[in-house]
């Protein structure tokens, strides 16, 4: 017994041990034991939690609750930060690597895309294996040092295991790389693949590939701009705004006829005409004058061109002397003198008369009618007046104006208010009707003190980093900021839903179109400040376009997106952190994922070759596995009779859209 140390003795004498009981029964003589109190054991598991809870004082309980709340908030911030990094990585892969990732890609989508880029076959159930490398990857293989070149026969007969052992993957990403460095890896890899079939190639692609596959790939490489056989995309041209005066009279009938002859000779499929609310119902409520439009539509019918019309409920021009001013109806402006809250209002209280505030959509402040009733009466009058053109099929679609410039957005970038690109703009929610809506939403949320606009969101021409609301980790992403931005965006969505519900009644069986803006500046920032003021809650950790497109889908509406026909300079892109390509990718994929019909329109006049080519590439994405394409394209262009355009380039652009031309633009 002396060989047993004290520690072991205490362990053996543990009453919880069966071995200690046997030892005491057989080895030790029975002696009287002194009366002692056993050492209490430390509670563990649930018992420890219960014991600790019993000893917590009210003050310590309150502190513990606060600490838990703080930890929850820190966890949420870390999660949002992680999602922001993931979003930038996915955006880089889409932009620089042409990876066809869905709008809400997960890691399985990323791994599958990387594997396919490396030459692997990934089936729907996740089965992954490698086949003989396609010709597009031969240059990548040639750029690497291959210690043991394979013969043509062994390469053709190689198994998946042998290929895995002998061929390094095309794209390797170290986990330590930042999103920016990942972008550079993808860019370098893409550039290396632009050199096809180098002469110094240790693997002979001709021996490995079938002859017809090789010839097909060579043909596609030589004629990258061959659009023969691609889907037919109709091209419409938008007529100038000033062809009808404020008394609804066609100004130059013969000039319009000559312009339409030019359009017909260029094989345009049809024309787009703005029907201005401020002209047709310009002087008295519910007194509609359509005479000038009837005369114009007769000429279009004579030329056998299709026709799209725009229900234009906004103001046009006035900033530039060359543009005619088309204001809202005069009787609306008279009401606005007594009740200025029918117009959008900024934080300083300045009124914007570009369009009516959405706060009066259901307020009877327009001579006894609500805002949406006024829009519905206008649309119903048009449908009744031109019922013969609808029955003939001349009018192929009707576009519904839903905001400033006819686009679904707030008038946050008004040059009249002093805005200049690339300012972030201002929130337009300070008329009394929208403020009432904000108060109701805050009360329903249980935080009445949130019934206010942000007081640190800057001015029209502020930069995001100059404000406390839009800067990195600014108030836009705290509890109040997310509440306000959700309400602000939901007001835009509700306006679209209300107007489209009545438009579907007025134009039943007719295609409806809604135009979505391209707010691309500050897209590379975390907040996407310009999009937020325009009404799209689209920071890096949230998709602000999907709820809008859900409403458009419910009404069977065609989404028309404003596409840029120009390339930003590197200096402008750096200064404004703009990314029109990534914005275009997000909007188009989000709409296509929801089954929407998609169309396009150029943002500014486009005369040069590269601009036309860029528009065709957007309308017909080359690498889209689902073969999506625009249903039509709306081309904005000043009067062709006055010149200012290279007609051969425009003719080539239309033929590419129609899919009946080969060669480079």
């Amino acid at each position: 017994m002396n060989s047993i140390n004290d520690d072991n003795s205490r362990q053996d004498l543990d009453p919880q041990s069966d071995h200690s009981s046997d030892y005491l029964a057989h080895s030790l003589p029975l002696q009287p034991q002194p009366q002692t109190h056993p050492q209490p054991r430390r509670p563990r598991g649930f018992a420890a939690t219960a014991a600790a809870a019993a000893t917590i004082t009210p003050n310590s309980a309150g502190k513990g609750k606060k600490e838990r709340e703080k930890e929850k908030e820190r966890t949420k911030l870390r999660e949002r930060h992680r999602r922001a990094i993931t979003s930038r990585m996915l955006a880089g892969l889409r932009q620089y690597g042409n990876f066809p990732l869905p709008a809400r890609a997960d890691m399985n989508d990323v791994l599958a895309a990387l594997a396919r880029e490396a030459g692997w076959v990934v089936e729907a159930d996740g089965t992954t294996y490698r086949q003989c490398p396609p010709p597009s990857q031969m240059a990548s293989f040639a750029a690497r040092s291959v210690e043991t070149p394979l013969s043509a026969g062994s390469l053709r007969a190689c198994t998946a295991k042998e290929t895995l052992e002998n061929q390094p993957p095309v794209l390797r990403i170290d986990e330590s790389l930042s999103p920016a460095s990942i972008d550079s890896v993808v860019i370098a890899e893409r550039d290396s693949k632009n050199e096809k079939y180098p002469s110094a190639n240790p693997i002979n692609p001709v021996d490995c590939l079938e002859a017809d596959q090789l010839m097909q790939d060579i043909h596609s490489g030589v004629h990258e701009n061959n659009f023969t056989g691609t889907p037919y995309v109709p091209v419409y041209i938008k007529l100038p705004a000033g062809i009808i005066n404020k008394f609804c009279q066609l100004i130059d009938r013969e000039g319009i006829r000559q312009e339409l002859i030019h359009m017909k000779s260029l094989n345009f499929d049809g024309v787009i005409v703005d029907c201005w609310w401020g002209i047709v119902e310009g002087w008295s409520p519910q007194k509609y004058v359509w005479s000038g439009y009837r005369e114009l539509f007769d000429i279009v019918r004579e030329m056998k061109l299709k026709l799209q019309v725009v229900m234009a409920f906004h103001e046009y021009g006035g900033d530039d002397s060359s543009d005619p001013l088309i204001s809202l109806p005069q009787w609306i402006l008279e009401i606005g003198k007594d009740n200025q809250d029918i117009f959008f209002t900024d934080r300083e209280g300045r009124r914007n008369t570009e369009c009516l505030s959405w706060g009066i959509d259901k307020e009877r402040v327009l001579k006894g009618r609500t805002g949406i009733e006024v829009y519905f009466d206008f649309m119903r009058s048009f449908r009744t007046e031109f019922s013969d053109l609808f029955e003939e099929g001349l009018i192929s679609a009707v576009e519904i104006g839903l905001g400033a410039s006819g686009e679904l957005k707030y008038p946050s970038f008004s040059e009249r208010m002093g805005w200049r690109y690339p300012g972030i703009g201002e929130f337009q929610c300070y008329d009394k009707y929208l403020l009432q809506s904000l108060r109701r939403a805050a009360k329903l949320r249980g935080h009445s003190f949130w019934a206010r606009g942000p007081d640190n969101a800057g001015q029209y021409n502020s930069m995001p980093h100059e404000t406390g609301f839009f800067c990195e980790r600014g108030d836009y992403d705290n509890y109040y900021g997310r509440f306000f931005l959700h309400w602000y965006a939901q007001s835009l969505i509700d306006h679209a839903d209300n107007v489209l519900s009545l438009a579907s009644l007025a134009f039943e069986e007719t295609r409806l179109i809604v135009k979505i803006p391209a707010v691309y500046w500050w897209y590379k920032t975390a907040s996407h400040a310009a999009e937020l003021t325009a009404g799209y809650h689209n920071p890096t950790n949230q998709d602000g376009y999907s709820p809008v497109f859900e409403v458009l889908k419910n009404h069977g509406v065609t989404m028309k997106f404003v596409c840029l026909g120009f390339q930003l300079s590197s200096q402008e892109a750096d200064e404004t952190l703009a990314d029109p390509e990534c914005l275009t990718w997000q909007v188009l994929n989000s709409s296509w994922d929801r089954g929407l019909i998609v169309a396009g329109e150029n943002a500014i006049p486009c005369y040069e070759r590269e601009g036309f080519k860029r528009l065709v590439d957007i309308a017909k994405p080359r690498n889209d596995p689902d073969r999506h394409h625009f249903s039509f394209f709306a081309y904005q262009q000043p009067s062709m009779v006055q010149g200012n355009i290279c007609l051969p380039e425009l003719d080539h652009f239309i033929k590419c859209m129609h899919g009946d031309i080969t060669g480079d633009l």
Side-chain angles (χ1 to χ4, degrees), residues 9-21 24 41:
S9 298
R10 283 193 293 270
Q11 181 179 358
D12 291 340
L13 293 175
D14 188 348
Q16 300 297 327
S17 173
D18 294 335
H19 299 287
S20 65
S21 300
L24 289 172
R41 300 187 61 189

Side-chain angles (χ1 to χ4, degrees), residues 88 111 142 156 194 256 258 305 342 398 434 490 576 633:
R88 295 190 185 101
L111 290 173
R156 186 180 297 108
N194 288 336
I256 292 297
Q258 292 300 320
L305 292 168
I342 67 174
V398 177
L434 283 179
Q490 190 61 46
T576 66
F633 191 88

Side-chain angles (χ1 to χ4, degrees), residues 85-312:
I85 292 176
T86 302
S87 177
R88 295 190 185 101
M89 292 173 64
L90 296 178
L93 291 174
R94 292 189 185 102
Q95 179 180 2
Y96 302 116
N98 292 325
F99 287 91
L101 299 175
R104 294 184 178 274
D106 58 16
M107 292 310 299
N108 288 341
D109 298 317
V110 177
L111 290 173
L114 293 175
R116 293 190 181 99
E117 180 72 9
W120 295 74
V121 176
V122 182
E123 297 182 351
D125 62 353
T127 302
T128 304
Y129 54 91
R130 189 156 191 169
Q131 290 182 340
C132 182
S136 60
Q137 294 178 2
M138 286 301 171
S140 299
F141 281 47
R144 301 176 180 85
S145 61
V146 181
E147 297 179 357
T148 307
L150 301 177
S151 66
S154 62
L155 183 59
R156 186 180 297 108
C158 63
T159 63
K161 180 178 179 180
E162 291 170 337
T163 307
L164 179 62
E165 293 175 351
N166 290 287
Q167 300 298 336
V170 173
L171 180 60
R172 295 178 179 175
I173 297 180
D174 192 325
E175 293 180 355
S176 63
L177 292 178
S178 65
S181 60
I182 290 177
D183 289 349
S184 63
V185 171
V186 178
I187 293 172
E189 194 61 30
R190 183 188 62 180
D191 292 340
S192 69
K193 290 191 291 185
N194 288 336
E195 300 176 2
K196 294 199 171 192
Y197 311 115
S199 56
N201 193 342
I203 301 177
N204 188 351
V206 180
D207 293 335
C208 178
L209 300 173
E210 298 294 337
D212 56 345
Q213 290 178 317
L214 180 61
M215 293 306 297
Q216 180 179 2
D217 189 75
I218 293 175
H219 184 271
S220 62
V222 174
H223 299 288
E224 292 183 353
N225 294 316
N226 184 354
F227 293 96
T228 302
T230 58
Y232 186 99
V233 176
V235 182
Y236 290 74
I237 188 166
K238 197 166 188 177
L239 295 184
I243 59 177
I244 292 180
N245 63 21
K246 63 181 181 180
F247 301 106
C248 201
Q249 298 171 338
L250 188 61
I251 295 178
D252 185 2
R253 181 183 178 90
E254 188 57 34
I256 292 297
R257 184 185 298 276
Q258 292 300 320
E259 189 145 341
L260 291 179
I261 291 175
H262 277 274
M263 297 174 185
K264 185 72 174 178
S265 65
L266 288 171
N267 293 318
F268 277 105
D269 296 270
V271 297
I272 302 174
V273 177
D274 290 306
C275 295
W276 296 100
W277 179 36
I279 291 177
V280 176
E281 196 183 1
W283 306 101
S284 300
Q286 295 183 287
K287 301 293 184 182
Y288 306 100
V289 180
W290 298 102
S291 56
Y293 288 103
R294 168 61 73 176
E295 191 174 358
L296 174 61
F297 296 163
D298 287 341
I299 300 176
V300 174
R301 173 198 280 164
E302 178 184 340
M303 296 295 169
K304 297 182 179 180
L305 292 168
K306 295 181 180 179
L307 175 63
Q308 290 185 7
V309 293
V310 180
M311 301 288 101

Side-chain angles (χ1 to χ4, degrees), residues 241-461:
I243 59 177
I244 292 180
N245 63 21
K246 63 181 181 180
F247 301 106
C248 201
Q249 298 171 338
L250 188 61
I251 295 178
D252 185 2
R253 181 183 178 90
E254 188 57 34
I256 292 297
R257 184 185 298 276
Q258 292 300 320
E259 189 145 341
L260 291 179
I261 291 175
H262 277 274
M263 297 174 185
K264 185 72 174 178
S265 65
L266 288 171
N267 293 318
F268 277 105
D269 296 270
V271 297
I272 302 174
V273 177
D274 290 306
C275 295
W276 296 100
W277 179 36
I279 291 177
V280 176
E281 196 183 1
W283 306 101
S284 300
Q286 295 183 287
K287 301 293 184 182
Y288 306 100
V289 180
W290 298 102
S291 56
Y293 288 103
R294 168 61 73 176
E295 191 174 358
L296 174 61
F297 296 163
D298 287 341
I299 300 176
V300 174
R301 173 198 280 164
E302 178 184 340
M303 296 295 169
K304 297 182 179 180
L305 292 168
K306 295 181 180 179
L307 175 63
Q308 290 185 7
V309 293
V310 180
M311 301 288 101
F313 297 110
H314 61 281
E315 186 180 84
Y316 175 83
D319 297 326
D320 188 349
S321 59
S322 62
D323 294 328
L325 173 62
I326 303 176
S327 66
L328 297 184
Q330 292 299 317
W331 62 275
I332 290 287
L333 299 179
E334 290 296 325
I335 295 175
K337 292 179 181 178
D338 298 327
N339 182 8
Q340 296 186 2
D341 287 290
I342 67 174
F343 302 120
F344 283 106
T345 308
D346 61 20
R347 185 173 181 82
E348 291 75 23
R350 291 177 292 181
R351 314 291 181 169
N352 190 319
T353 60
E354 287 186 62
C355 54
L356 294 179
S357 168
W358 302 332
I360 66 169
D361 277 356
K362 297 184 179 181
E363 300 287 341
R364 296 191 176 280
V365 294
L366 303 177
K367 302 289 186 180
R369 292 186 293 168
T370 65
I372 58 175
E373 287 175 347
V374 168
Y375 304 144
F376 175 68
D377 290 342
F378 181 84
M379 293 185 289
R380 184 174 56 181
S381 173
F382 179 86
R383 179 62 179 84
T384 302
E385 177 69 23
F386 299 104
S387 59
D388 56 325
L389 303 185
F390 282 97
E391 294 172 0
E392 294 176 12
L394 177 67
I395 299 179
S396 60
V398 177
E399 181 179 325
I400 310 299
L402 292 175
S405 303
E407 302 169 350
L408 181 56
K409 68 178 181 180
Y410 286 88
S412 304
F413 314 117
S414 175
E415 295 184 0
R416 184 182 307 167
M417 298 296 178
W419 174 83
R420 295 294 181 269
Y421 174 84
I424 59 176
E426 285 196 23
F427 293 113
Q428 304 290 316
C429 59
Y430 294 94
D431 62 85
K432 68 179 183 182
Y433 302 105
L434 283 179
L435 287 178
Q436 288 173 2
S437 172
L438 179 58
R439 282 192 289 270
R440 289 193 296 269
K443 184 177 180 180
L444 185 63
R445 182 67 180 270
H447 301 290
S448 298
F449 59 94
W450 282 355
R452 58 179 176 81
D455 55 7
N456 58 348
Q459 308 294 329
Y460 284 101
N461 296 313

Side-chain angles (χ1 to χ4, degrees), residues 506-518:
F507 300 111
E508 54 184 359
E509 306 300 329
T510 301
R511 177 195 291 187
L512 299 181
I513 302 169
V514 169
K515 184 160 63 171
I516 301 297

